[in-house]
Amino acid sequence: MRLRYSIRLYSSFKWGTYPQTKLGFVQPFVAIAFAFFTSFLLNSCEAPYQGIRVSSIEDFDKAVAQAKPGDIIILAKGPWKDVELNFSGEGEENAPITLTVEEKGAVFLEGNSNLRLGGSYLHVEGLVFRNGYTPTSSVIEYRIGEDLLCNNCRVTECVVDDYNPPERFDSDYWVAIYGKRNRFDHNYLVGKRNQGVTLAVRLNSTESQENHHRIDHNYFGYHPILGSNGGETFRIGTSHYSLSNSNTLVEDNYFERCNGEHEIVSNKSCQNTFRNNTFYECQGTLTMRHGNETLVENNYFFGNQKANTGGIRIINETQTVRNNYCEGLTGYRFRGALVIMNGVPNSPLNRYFQVIDSKASNNLIINSDYIQLCAGSDEERSATPVNTEVENNIFYHSDDKDIFTIYDEVSGIAFSQNYLSSNLPFPQYRDQSITRGFEQKNIELETVNGVKKAKEYPEIGPDLSKERPGPDNTGVSWYPKKEYRIRFNTGKILSVGPEENGLFDAVKNSSPGDILELTQTAHYHQTKSIDIVHPLTIRASRKLTEKPMITFERTSLFNLENGGSLKLEGLEISGKKSDDKPGNTVIRTSRYSMINNYKLLVTDCDIKNLDVNHSFEFIKVYKNTFADSIALVSCTFENITGHILAADKEFDDIGIYNVENVLIDQSTFKDIGGAVLHLYRGGRDESTFGPILDLTHSSFENVGHDKRNKFQATVALHGVQLAEMNELIFVNSRKLDLHLIVGEPVIRLRNSRFENSEGVTSNDNAWIRSNNTGL
């Protein structure tokens, strides 16, 4: 074994210093001879060894205790389960102590495992964390205990893959960096689903401030919506230490679909640099939440017109934002392509400091829908930006639209030499156009190295001579990049006959993405509840002229368990054979916390006769579960004693909610005892996007009159952030109730009719933009 690692250690020897024969044998001969000589010395002398393979935690601890500068500890191939690696030592600048693996991509830390480093000049590479979660507060932590911090240490080419606890609100960090002059580079972090920051730079002692860390060439992958605060991908500091200098350099990283909350990156300290990073389809912004003297330059933001994708948000003093590229971003308010916020006079550390002495220049913003100035203006956030410059930027959009929103007085912002594409109107505030500092131009774009540049102003935008970070030049090359999003209809088509529990058996034997096709116009009866543990489609055969009927006996037909998502098409579901007891449901989520978000799509289905007892619901959700989307399209619901969808189980009023997007379109609801919809988000936290509702072209007849309908409404919306409601008909039904409490909710109710119904109630009618009859 020593010979093997001696060859590895000296594989970087400069072969060119030796002559080579025509047959080319001299160099290999010298290498082998040198390796044998080294092996002899290692086995016969008292000098410290250069590499040791360990295969147990006991061997590892012993090797660490004996390690000297230049030593290498090698983890054996295979899974390491429930191991806590405490890697400490004092290496030297040119002779670090190294922890590596026998083969990259073949050493897995699983179960309750983690890594803690403490000391100086330590080097870690090749670890993969998967199939488990950390037993402590961090997966990788640059300290051991309170006192043994890292200085001049490096973690490179490591993987943390979907390494989450089963409880979505159990909080942890994947990486916590303490100490000074550390590096974290070329790592692959993807699939964080629970509360807590993916990577955090901690400043909670003077030994970790003014740290000069470098964080570079990492791949931060898919981070689904958390539905709560605490879903940042990256954070430097906290509000308590936000006026301390961190001096952290963040460069050449790739962020892909990091959607946890508003703040993809949360800067909460001073004198940090964010340079040449790429953000791809990320819902949120790089936010200068706290701290001063931040430099944000040469970063790329690609939204591809995905919802809520954002750019850069400026808060605090002496911030510099220059030469950045924003394209196809759709986020509004705090998620705009460029956002300059209002502050709080004499702000406490945890609120919003006024924007002072800051500058946004030479930024290229293309086909992005919202530029927000003085965002957040309200009675508390009344301090407008001062001594701030917006100059030499290009704002281009291919559509004729007003991309600027100005919420307050902008006399403290100096605009100069900004260029608008000729179809864009000048910014306006209180019906007054701001023309000084803006010029409309016929801007011609050309594509260079995959991004657009303005031919007339090549100096505006990013420096294209620098390699742009992407999936191929960040992270690791030896670990497969997986698709983490929910995908329907990607598997096999499996035929299902009408035998009793035939559907149950088919689901049990299915694979992710499969399509289960009901092939007969018949009665499919289930005496067992069906657990959905991966994405599945259940649909009627396209050859059928009538819908097959599904009936069931248990308290639920489908149970969406962790990892499950469901798509139903062309079915009739009846409760006529269900048990005669209250509280039945067609679809329910897990009764326990679901770490994975789910999707539920129901199309062209008839849901009838859920009436054997009271409170028979269509969808029942439980606390600590979260849906990316629930859609009911072209469906009929009739004769149902309970609610259709009550997404109201997060009642702690701390900004948590159960579903991000709800779509109800071209559907009819008749003789429904409970509410068709109740969406609830309590509290005043502003760090998330939803819930978001699209309710269109649907009718409600005799809805909401059951005495057990605690909402006393047909549709009740509490804390919803965006609701588009159009072409609705309410007949003999309870009210549409709106309770608007957080942020700046946008509620549009148009072209709707109320006949013998209770109409609309709201705590703030100013938010209703309506064109209705029967109110």
Side-chain angles (χ1 to χ4, degrees):
M1 296 303 297
R2 294 185 186 275
L3 168 61
R4 176 179 178 182
Y5 295 119
S6 297
I7 292 174
R8 176 182 174 184
L9 287 167
Y10 292 98
S11 62
S12 61
F13 199 85
K14 293 184 179 180
W15 300 108
T17 59
Y18 290 90
Q20 186 173 9
T21 66
K22 291 182 179 179
L23 295 178
F25 290 151
V26 170
Q27 290 179 357
F29 176 79
V30 170
I32 294 171
F34 190 74
F36 271 113
F37 178 69
T38 303
S39 178
F40 172 77
L41 289 178
L42 292 174
N43 284 280
S44 61
C45 301
E46 294 299 322
Y49 52 73
Q50 290 293 316
I52 182 170
R53 178 182 180 273
V54 297
S55 56
S56 69
I57 189 64
E58 292 79 14
D59 290 346
F60 170 82
D61 289 340
K62 182 179 179 180
V64 169
Q66 297 176 352
K68 306 285 193 302
D71 284 353
I72 300 175
I73 301 170
I74 301 148
L75 299 186
K77 287 195 296 184
W80 289 64
K81 189 171 183 180
D82 299 333
V83 294
E84 297 188 56
L85 302 179
N86 289 322
F87 180 41
S88 61
E90 296 296 327
E92 297 174 356
E93 182 173 4
N94 296 318
I97 302 172
T98 297
L99 171 61
T100 187
V101 296
E102 185 175 9
E103 181 183 334
K104 290 180 179 177
V107 176
F108 306 104
L109 292 113
E110 300 181 340
N112 295 136
S113 299
N114 64 6
L115 168 69
R116 289 182 288 189
L117 305 84
S120 300
Y121 294 106
L122 304 177
H123 180 103
V124 178
E125 64 177 272
L127 306 183
V128 176
F129 292 88
R130 68 175 194 179
N131 298 334
Y133 58 97
T134 177
T136 58
S137 61
S138 303
V139 180
I140 299 173
E141 187 168 0
Y142 283 63
R143 70 172 183 177
I144 300 175
E146 293 286 335
D147 301 320
L148 187 55
L149 309 184
C150 277
N151 296 303
N152 299 295
C153 295
R154 181 183 183 190
V155 175
T156 185
E157 287 195 75
C158 289
V159 172
V160 186
D161 178 7
D162 215 2
Y163 201 63
N164 303 296
E167 168 56 60
R168 67 186 293 113
F169 293 115
D170 276 355
S171 183
D172 61 33
Y173 301 136
W174 275 6
V175 181
I177 303 180
Y178 298 83
K180 295 181 186 293
R181 297 176 300 279
N182 296 308
R183 188 178 180 193
F184 185 80
D185 66 285
H186 293 89
N187 299 288
Y188 179 66
L189 309 177
V190 63
K192 193 171 197 306
R193 303 173 186 276
N194 65 309
Q195 191 174 55
V197 183
T198 304
L199 185 152
V201 175
R202 305 303 311 275
L203 306 179
N204 56 344
S205 68
T206 56
E207 291 80 11
S208 293
Q209 297 165 10
E210 298 184 357
N211 52 67
H212 299 279
H213 298 318
R214 184 184 178 197
I215 300 166
D216 63 287
H217 293 92
N218 300 292
Y219 186 119
F220 295 93
Y222 178 61
H223 191 314
I225 298 168
L226 181 62
S228 165
N229 191 11
E232 304 98 328
T233 295
F234 194 108
R235 191 185 72 208
I236 304 177
T238 58
S239 58
H240 188 76
Y241 298 98
S242 59
L243 298 182
S244 301
N245 293 339
S246 182
N247 307 106
T248 298
L249 172 61
V250 183
E251 64 178 353
D252 300 318
N253 300 286
Y254 183 67
F255 297 80
E256 180 176 6
R257 300 186 179 98
C258 295
N259 305 333
E261 59 148 278
H262 279 180
E263 298 174 17
I264 307 163
V265 171
S266 183
N267 182 84
K268 292 187 174 182
S269 52
C270 299
Q271 295 185 1
N272 298 312
T273 296
F274 299 89
R275 181 170 62 207
N276 204 51
N277 302 285
T278 297
F279 298 81
Y280 181 83
E281 293 184 4
C282 293
Q283 296 185 14
T285 61
L286 189 165
T287 302
M288 284 158 270
R289 183 64 182 87
H290 298 305
N292 306 316
E293 300 177 78
T294 313
L295 173 61
V296 179
E297 67 174 352
N298 220 86
N299 300 286
Y300 298 84
F301 299 82
F302 297 97
N304 293 329
Q305 304 301 318
K306 302 295 183 181
N308 297 316
T309 48
I312 301 166
R313 182 155 63 120
I314 301 174
I315 314 166
N316 308 298
E317 300 183 23
T318 324
Q319 315 286 36
T320 301
V321 176
R322 67 190 183 203
N323 293 101
N324 297 286
Y325 181 88
C326 300
E327 182 180 6
L329 306 176
T330 64
Y332 73 100
R333 200 169 176 260
F334 291 177
R335 288 94 66 187
L338 177 63
V339 180
I340 301 177
M341 286 200 63
N342 263 19
V344 176
N346 302 311
S347 176
L349 284 175
N350 66 336
R351 292 303 291 154
Y352 290 84
F353 279 73
Q354 186 178 23
V355 176
I356 301 174
D357 295 329
S358 296
K359 187 173 184 177
S361 62
N362 287 83
N363 300 292
L364 179 55
I365 299 176
I366 298 172
N367 288 335
S368 296
D369 294 343
Y370 296 97
I371 310 298
Q372 310 276 278
L373 304 178
C374 302
S377 175
D378 57 20
E379 290 184 2
E380 181 200 25
R381 290 178 293 222
S382 60
T384 59
V386 296
N387 297 329
T388 292
E389 301 177 12
V390 176
E391 70 172 18
N392 210 43
N393 303 285
I394 289 178
F395 302 95
Y396 175 96
H397 208 293
S398 56
D399 295 335
D400 297 340
K401 63 184 304 178
D402 185 359
I403 65 172
F404 291 90
T405 306
I406 301 177
Y407 296 90
D408 209 331
E409 176 61 50
V410 290
S411 59
I413 302 177
F415 301 100
S416 62
Q417 293 182 311
N418 296 290
Y419 303 104
L420 307 175
S421 54
S422 57
N423 57 319
L424 291 181
F426 291 106
Q428 285 193 329
Y429 177 61
R430 294 179 178 174
D431 299 325
Q432 297 293 317
S433 292
I434 300 174
T435 58
R436 185 174 182 179
F438 290 92
E439 185 177 355
Q440 293 174 321
K441 286 279 190 177
N442 290 318
I443 298 171
E444 185 177 354
L445 300 178
E446 60 180 350
T447 300
V448 181
N449 294 336
V451 301
K452 297 178 176 65
K453 294 286 282 186
K455 287 185 177 181
E456 303 90 337
Y457 308 100
E459 76 284 358
I460 297 179
D463 179 3
L464 299 184
S465 67
K466 299 179 180 179
E467 184 179 29
R468 185 170 75 251
D472 297 327
N473 59 7
T474 57
V476 301
S477 60
W478 43 263
Y479 191 84
K481 294 179 173 64
K482 298 185 292 187
E483 174 59 70
Y484 289 84
R485 291 178 296 170
I486 298 168
R487 297 288 193 182
F488 291 110
N489 301 348
T490 58
K492 304 180 296 295
I493 298 178
L494 306 174
S495 297
V496 182
E499 299 83 6
E500 185 175 273
N501 291 322
L503 182 57
F504 173 91
D505 294 334
V507 170
K508 187 175 180 180
N509 295 314
S510 67
S511 299
D514 281 354
I515 302 168
L516 307 185
E517 196 165 78
L518 279 56
T519 57
Q520 298 182 35
T521 303
H523 182 190
Y524 288 72
H525 185 61
Q526 311 301 308
T527 66
K528 304 175 182 178
S529 289
I530 300 172
D531 290 343
I532 306 296
V533 297
H534 47 236
L536 280 180
T537 297
I538 301 174
R539 73 186 188 194
S541 169
R542 306 295 168 83
K543 298 178 182 179
L544 298 180
T545 57
E546 296 183 13
K547 295 174 181 175
M549 176 188 290
I550 301 175
T551 58
F552 60 104
E553 292 183 8
R554 298 297 300 273
T555 56
S556 61
L557 173 58
F558 297 113
N559 305 326
L560 285 168
E561 299 298 336
N562 195 41
S565 287
L566 182 61
K567 185 176 183 181
L568 303 175
E569 295 181 10
L571 307 174
E572 180 178 337
I573 299 176
S574 171
K576 65 181 183 180
K577 292 194 174 183
S578 298
D579 286 348
D580 185 5
K581 57 185 179 182
N584 292 335
T585 184
V586 175
I587 302 167
R588 69 159 174 82
T589 67
S590 175
R591 294 186 176 95
Y592 309 102
S593 181
M594 294 173 66
I595 194 66
N596 291 281
N597 296 356
Y598 68 93
K599 288 185 179 181
L600 175 62
L601 311 178
V602 185
T603 304
D604 188 28
C605 289
D606 299 331
I607 315 299
K608 298 180 178 180
N609 301 320
L610 309 184
D611 64 346
V612 295
N613 211 308
H614 69 78
S615 307
F616 201 146
E617 299 187 7
F618 178 58
I619 303 168
K620 180 177 290 185
V621 304
Y622 283 86
K623 190 174 176 61
N624 294 345
T625 66
F626 189 81
D628 282 339
S629 56
I630 295 177
L632 310 176
V633 178
S634 300
C635 293
T636 62
F637 296 82
E638 187 173 352
N639 198 20
I640 297 170
T641 60
H643 308 303
I644 304 303
L645 170 60
D648 62 343
K649 301 307 184 291
E650 303 295 352
F651 44 74
D652 297 324
D653 290 347
I654 53 176
I656 302 173
Y657 50 104
N658 285 117
V659 56
E660 184 73 9
N661 296 284
V662 175
L663 168 64
I664 300 177
D665 182 45
Q666 301 183 68
S667 295
T668 62
F669 303 88
K670 184 177 180 181
D671 298 330
I672 312 296
V676 167
L677 176 65
H678 184 217
L679 287 180
Y680 187 91
R681 165 191 168 140
R684 305 197 64 82
D685 182 80
E686 296 180 274
S687 60
T688 50
F689 305 103
I692 299 169
L693 171 65
D694 193 351
L695 175 58
T696 56
H697 304 97
S698 296
S699 63
F700 310 86
E701 182 178 351
N702 192 31
V703 175
H705 294 295
D706 190 277
K707 64 182 181 180
R708 296 179 180 85
N709 180 9
K710 61 183 179 180
F711 314 124
Q712 301 181 30
T714 296
V715 174
L717 308 180
H718 186 110
V720 170
Q721 294 298 285
L722 174 61
E724 296 280 358
M725 296 178 286
N726 189 27
E727 298 286 351
L728 306 177
I729 300 173
F730 293 78
V731 178
N732 189 31
S733 292
R734 300 298 301 268
K735 62 191 175 184
L736 166 60
D737 184 60
L738 307 173
H739 192 80
L740 312 176
I741 59 171
V742 63
E744 296 175 358
V746 177
I747 308 296
R748 298 188 181 95
L749 174 62
R750 296 172 294 189
N751 306 313
S752 296
R753 186 170 75 250
F754 294 78
E755 298 179 3
N756 194 31
S757 297
E758 295 180 359
V760 180
T761 61
S762 175
N763 65 322
D764 187 354
N765 287 318
W767 291 109
I768 302 177
R769 313 289 188 252
S770 61
N771 177 20
N772 310 288
T773 59
L775 291 181

